[in-house]
Amino acid sequence: MKTMFLKLAIGLGIMVLAAQQVSAQNCAPRADVIKRSAQTYGETRRGIGIARQSAVMEVFASDQTGSWTIVVTLPEGVTCLIPSGQSFEALAEALPPNT
């Protein structure tokens, strides 16, 4: 599970820069974004990490619907939706052996 979130955090580092360019319709105060995710999709927070420029990346998902959403909260306090999708599965993969 940690490996998956680490990969997401690294990959999202690039997206954080793009998030700063996202239009206002994809960004809102964090409380509003979290409330909508819970009420509309039944999603709860499944992971969190620090991305580039001190942005906070969070993964939300629902076991019932399989929906997932990744949000990034910028240091200024605005939260932006990055990607979202379906078929979420929590994984706990072991690291590959050192060779």
Side-chain angles (χ1 to χ4, degrees), residues 40-64:
T40 305
Y41 302 103
E43 296 176 352
T44 58
R45 186 167 59 180
R46 302 303 180 90
I48 188 169
I50 303 296
R52 289 186 178 189
Q53 300 177 347
S54 300
V56 176
M57 178 275 308
E58 297 171 284
V59 178
F60 292 83
S62 169
D63 289 330
Q64 288 75 35

Side-chain angles (χ1 to χ4, degrees), residues 6-16:
L6 178 61
K7 289 179 183 177
L8 282 172
I10 291 170
L12 285 174
I14 296 169
M15 286 189 230
V16 169

Side-chain angles (χ1 to χ4, degrees), residues 8 12 57-60 68-72 80-84:
L8 282 172
L12 285 174
M57 178 275 308
E58 297 171 284
V59 178
F60 292 83
W68 59 268
T69 303
I70 297 175
V71 301
V72 172
C80 298
L81 298 172
I82 304 298
S84 62

